């Protein structure tokens, strides 16, 4: 996946996280289909959804770090030789 797609996914999951946290704090009931766009699991609580979204965000951030290292190897070599 290229860096642009990863950034789009990152923004999407950040928005979902904000929404889940907001709805959790408002004590809204958790709809069964809230997570339908990115998992086949059905969660019953906001905490489960928030944990999944945080996991996805961590994975995307790791992919972005890997992507930036492979696209800028000369810079990384310079940084590690300091």
């Amino acid at each position: 996946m290229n860096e642009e797609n990863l950034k789009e996914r990152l923004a999407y999951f950040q928005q979902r996280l904000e929404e889940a946290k907001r709805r959790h704090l408002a004590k809204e009931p958790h709809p069964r289909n809230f997570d339908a766009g990115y998992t086949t699991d059905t969660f019953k609580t906001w905490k489960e959804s928030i944990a999944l979204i945080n996991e996805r965000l961590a994975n995307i951030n790791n992919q972005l770090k890997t992507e930036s290292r492979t696209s800028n190897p000369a810079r990384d070599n310079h940084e590690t030789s300091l």
Side-chain angles (χ1 to χ4, degrees):
M1 197 172 282
N2 69 28
E3 189 172 348
E4 184 178 326
N5 288 342
L6 289 170
K7 287 180 180 179
E8 288 174 8
R9 289 183 68 215
L10 184 66
Y12 170 78
F13 280 108
Q14 287 171 335
Q15 290 171 347
R16 294 301 282 179
L17 180 62
E18 289 174 16
E19 181 181 358
K21 286 180 176 180
R22 178 185 55 78
R23 293 175 79 175
H24 174 66
L25 290 173
K27 299 196 184 300
E28 291 183 24
H30 187 281
R32 294 179 56 83
N33 64 349
F34 180 78
D35 304 293
Y38 42 88
T39 185
T40 56
D41 294 332
T42 302
F43 298 118
K44 296 181 180 178
T45 68
W46 287 115
K47 287 183 180 183
E48 291 174 316
S49 291
I50 290 169
L52 174 69
I53 294 168
N54 280 327
E55 182 181 310
R56 297 289 163 90
L57 285 168
N59 289 338
I60 294 168
N61 280 320
N62 287 339
Q63 287 178 306
L64 278 169
K65 288 177 187 175
T66 302
E67 184 77 24
S68 67
R69 280 189 209 129
T70 58
S71 64
N72 296 321
R75 190 185 89 217
D76 287 345
N77 288 339
H78 176 70
E79 289 173 357
T80 56
S81 65
L82 295 178

